Amino acid sequence: MQTIHVGLIGLGTVGTGVVQILQQQADLIAGRLGARLVLKRVATRHPERARAVQLPAAQLTGDAMEVLQDPEIAIVVELIGGYEPARTYLLTALQQGKHVVTANKALLARHGRELFQTATALRRDIGFEASVGGGIPIIRTIKEGFVANQFLSISCIINGTTNYILSKMSDQGQDFQDVLREAQALGYAEADPSFDVDGIDAAQKIALLASLAFGSWVPSEAIYTEGITGVSQLDIAYARELGYRVKLLAMAKMAGSHLDVRVHPALVAADSWLANINGVYNAISLRGDKVGRNMLIGRGAGALPTGSAVVGDVVDVARNILHDSSGRVPPQAYQDHSLQDVPLQDMDEVVCKYYLRFQVADQPRVLAAIAGILGEHAISLESVLQKGREHVPGAPVSVVMMTHEARERSIRKALLAIATLPTILGKTMRLRVEETEEE
Amino acid sequence: MQTIHVGLIGLGTVGTGVVQILQQQADLIAGRLGARLVLKRVATRHPERARAVQLPAAQLTGDAMEVLQDPEIAIVVELIGGYEPARTYLLTALQQGKHVVTANKALLARHGRELFQTATALRRDIGFEASVGGGIPIIRTIKEGFVANQFLSISCIINGTTNYILSKMSDQGQDFQDVLREAQALGYAEADPSFDVDGIDAAQKIALLASLAFGSWVPSEAIYTEGITGVSQLDIAYARELGYRVKLLAMAKMAGSHLDVRVHPALVAADSWLANINGVYNAISLRGDKVGRNMLIGRGAGALPTGSAVVGDVVDVARNILHDSSGRVPPQAYQDHSLQDVPLQDMDEVVCKYYLRFQVADQPRVLAAIAGILGEHAISLESVLQKGREHVPGAPVSVVMMTHEARERSIRKALLAIATLPTILGKTMRLRVEETEEE
């Protein structure tokens, strides 16, 4: 039976998972693939981590070049994360004639185009299933399973940290800061959580998914991105009372001749599929013009789920090596000449329902003043929620309004005008409502 | 740009969908694949159906051999259903050097081994994503996405007709027969519904999924199969009261050295993912030893969702044609020499919780007698539900018991003994409870 040699750069959480999977599933994979995958060399700056996975010292190196220049290694797996030297390593591997597999969504979001073009030009494969949604086979589904579809929309819960935090806030009535500390203690959130809680991670992932689905490169920095730090316990409770849950959604859809791509917390109906994805699970809801709506759910992170996706890619690349069919599926799902440049929609043009929570003085005619300004901007109301007067006299009262569909620009202008009212005593909370009904 | 010619046999619901997709998405698919798919010839016994999809008469034929023997056609799509002549057509196509795509789960359940072996021997591809779960990319996920995993279990709602019926019975309190008539009128159930409501369709599908996941051919006739005709409104209402929904589940899991594969109605916790899959949606929950639990949800039937899967397979086969890599992924997910023969577990050995509904005489000590017999068979109770006495004196009373985990054999024997009690006035309903908690 033929042997295919694999090299690994990076022995962190996912790297360790990949080593374990390659060791434990060697026979299983050989029985399915028809060739043996052999992990020949692992480059790490932390050789002590090799003990946990029983890697002999001879397989270890502190120098990534020993992996990149090993003529026997056919597939290089990059799991160090970050932009550099990861980018240089992957480019070098491709130039050395190797195929590559990575889980590095940050790198792909920034340098994906360069990496994809290099791989295509050199007729080498680049696998990156593990970069979005951990073990969920979403890249494969977009590029291959739903290849016969024009994509209409993608809506996902794609960041485990924020979903864990929002789930806990919702289930246990805790505040953001308390849950965040708990998540950090459990290892579900980083010491510096901004990458996750500010929505940057989700933006990088939806940028990549949208680029594949719509065949137009979406720069993640251009995406409207709003995190969850502003979501309060109060908003979660009001949303619940109105029949909604608050989730950090990453979305992409065609809006006429523009692509509407954004990341922000949103209210989703309590009985919708996405509302019931809790804790560390990720879910990706896809709508294709032929297949209709599909949803994929799974663990969005972790050594073994992500490792499963990495090794799945390694096997995919290995099948191409065995059949001399590298480049069989183009990296960005489209042939180069079919890629387009679809402009992103301006956030001001977005149309949806809105949840607005005002902090107002407890006086007559306050509601009328707010509703009046909304009306001037052609924003009509679906419902209004004002709580009883069990509060300290003189302190602000919360008034929650759900609007009918309105344009973001109108909401923005109306809220600017409302902020000048003397009866408005604090910052107004504005959350978008996403309808994801199951048809 | 290269052209790949496709032939189609069968112009029913799915066939019509496939023609529409190939026509409408021609440019989109060419941009992704890098070659044009051209539908050259369609064989149908109902040429009048061609009008709906604007097929010129010259492309139509009443003779399948004109498709099978056309030297220009590289891929034959079989969508006539049934065993013969579908089997002969597919074998002939393979022998003529063509690749094949089919949505025919009944044929694959019965003759899959022969078809797979023929395709492998001739180095031809056989695509069958559309045979299970409509547009859901489940075959691809088992064979490719999760290739690095030992599968632990598959639990699915995989028959749209029964899920529609049970959802309606649950939501609207209607009886089986009424909902069935409604489903027939809407086209969700066949005039002869037995194939669906008796669980045969689900058994054929889970047989196929289990064969791929576990690398052991599972004959669908050997699977324990129980349909939903015995499920009454009363059971659905009691289940709801106990915090459960009733679903027709198809399951496969390793149980020691045996494969536990079965189809039957089951109680699933109301807050579990599967409980909330309603109407015509299908869902497949998979557990891999590395990836953990994943679930895929989508439309399990229909011209376009199923057509999407068929055309996805055609593109997959076309990529292999373009790269001369046919046979790249073996049909049954394993290389031939790695396939095994894992015996099926005897139903008597199954262990789970049970829902039991007894119809008893309204007399003292009846409960004690039933519980006594259950105790003699080492079956202990988790809860007992007996409704108030608002009934006709002398008429039977329903008593519902939920057991702790017990072995099917013990339950069977205990129920036989209980049936001999003079106070038992009707057939006892026995439903299994499946725990599918989200970890």
Side-chain angles (χ1 to χ4, degrees), chain A residues 30-309:
Chain A
R32 288 172 175 164
L33 171 62
R36 294 200 78 83
L37 296 179
V38 172
L39 182 63
K40 190 180 173 200
R41 210 114 233 261
V42 178
T44 175
R45 287 180 303 170
H46 305 280
E48 72 282 3
R49 290 186 188 152
R51 280 197 297 271
V53 286
Q54 294 176 304
L55 274 178
Q59 267 178 266
L60 290 175
T61 172
D63 181 6
M65 289 313 285
E66 289 196 24
V67 171
L68 295 168
Q69 294 182 334
D70 186 323
E72 220 179 20
I73 289 175
I75 306 171
V76 171
V77 179
E78 178 275 307
L79 296 174
I80 54 172
Y83 303 111
E84 282 295 353
R87 170 178 158 275
T88 304
Y89 289 168
L90 287 176
L91 291 172
T92 306
L94 292 169
Q95 279 144 9
Q96 294 286 327
K98 301 180 191 320
H99 306 281
V100 297
V101 173
T102 178
N104 192 335
K105 82 231 145 216
L107 177 64
L108 290 171
R110 187 171 295 176
H111 299 292
R113 212 162 197 175
E114 177 189 24
L115 289 162
F116 289 175
Q117 283 168 350
T118 307
T120 301
L122 297 167
R123 268 208 69 206
R124 289 295 169 262
D125 283 326
I126 175 165
F128 52 95
E129 180 65 81
S131 62
V132 181
I136 302 173
I138 182 61
I139 305 288
R140 195 179 292 272
T141 296
I142 292 177
K143 287 172 65 169
E144 303 189 53
F146 294 169
V147 68
N149 289 264
Q150 196 104 48
F151 288 95
L152 303 178
S153 66
I154 306 176
S155 302
C156 31
I157 294 172
I158 211 168
N159 178 273
T161 306
T162 49
N163 200 43
Y164 176 85
I165 292 174
L166 291 173
S167 301
K168 281 276 175 183
M169 287 175 72
S170 180
D171 290 350
Q172 299 174 5
Q174 287 173 274
D175 271 325
F176 175 76
Q177 288 299 342
D178 296 335
V179 184
L180 174 60
R181 265 190 297 273
E182 200 182 302
Q184 284 169 325
L186 287 165
Y188 292 157
E190 305 286 334
D192 173 4
S194 58
F195 192 68
D196 291 309
V197 300
D198 292 343
I200 304 165
D201 173 79
Q204 291 179 339
K205 290 168 176 169
I206 192 71
L208 199 52
L209 296 185
S211 299
L212 303 176
F214 300 103
S216 173
W217 191 261
V218 177
S220 67
E221 321 82 57
I223 296 175
Y224 177 85
T225 305
E226 191 182 309
I228 64 164
T229 53
V231 178
S232 73
Q233 185 46 242
L234 205 58
D235 297 309
I236 288 179
Y238 276 121
R240 197 175 264 273
E241 202 170 325
L242 291 160
Y244 291 91
R245 299 286 179 275
V246 180
K247 295 288 182 188
L248 182 70
L249 293 190
M251 289 164 286
K253 56 177 176 240
M254 286 303 303
S257 57
H258 288 65
L259 255 178
D260 173 12
V261 189
R262 45 197 160 103
V263 173
H264 55 70
L267 271 63
V268 295
D271 60 354
S272 67
W273 292 344
L274 283 171
N276 292 297
I277 304 303
N278 291 313
V280 296
Y281 279 98
N282 279 195
I284 298 138
S285 169
L286 295 161
R287 202 183 285 270
D289 64 343
K290 303 303 178 192
V291 77
R293 186 164 174 223
N294 267 252
M295 189 155 98
L296 282 67
I297 311 171
R299 292 185 163 267
L304 295 176
T306 310
S308 162

Side-chain angles (χ1 to χ4, degrees), chain A residues 28-29 32 311-312 315 319, chain B residues 141-149:
Chain A
L28 178 73
I29 291 171
R32 288 172 175 164
V311 179
V315 172
R319 293 196 208 266
Chain B
T141 296
I142 292 177
K143 287 172 66 169
E144 303 187 54
F146 293 169
V147 69
N149 289 265

Side-chain angles (χ1 to χ4, degrees), chain A residues 24-25 31-33 147-149 281 289-290 294-295 297 299 304 308 316 320 328 334-335 338 438, chain B residues 24-25 31-33 147-149 281 289-290 294-295 297 304 308 316 320 328 334-335 338 438-439:
Chain A
Q24 292 167 15
Q25 317 284 59
R32 288 172 175 164
L33 171 62
V147 68
N149 289 264
Y281 279 98
D289 64 343
K290 303 303 178 192
N294 267 252
M295 189 155 98
I297 311 171
R299 292 185 163 267
L304 295 176
S308 162
D316 204 45
N320 282 346
R328 187 178 166 277
Y334 288 74
Q335 303 295 318
S338 300
E438 268 78 62
Chain B
Q24 292 167 14
Q25 317 284 61
R32 289 173 176 164
L33 170 62
V147 69
N149 289 265
Y281 279 98
D289 65 344
K290 303 304 178 193
N294 267 253
M295 190 155 99
I297 311 171
L304 294 177
S308 162
D316 203 45
N320 283 347
R328 187 178 165 277
Y334 289 75
Q335 304 293 318
S338 300
E438 269 79 61
E439 307 173 28

Side-chain angles (χ1 to χ4, degrees), chain B residues 22-60:
Chain B
L22 287 173
Q23 288 174 341
Q24 292 167 14
Q25 317 284 61
D27 292 342
L28 178 73
I29 291 172
R32 289 173 176 164
L33 170 62
R36 294 201 79 82
L37 296 179
V38 171
L39 182 64
K40 189 180 175 199
R41 209 114 234 260
V42 178
T44 174
R45 286 181 304 170
H46 304 281
E48 72 282 3
R49 291 187 189 153
R51 279 197 297 271
V53 286
Q54 294 176 300
L55 273 178
Q59 266 178 266
L60 289 175

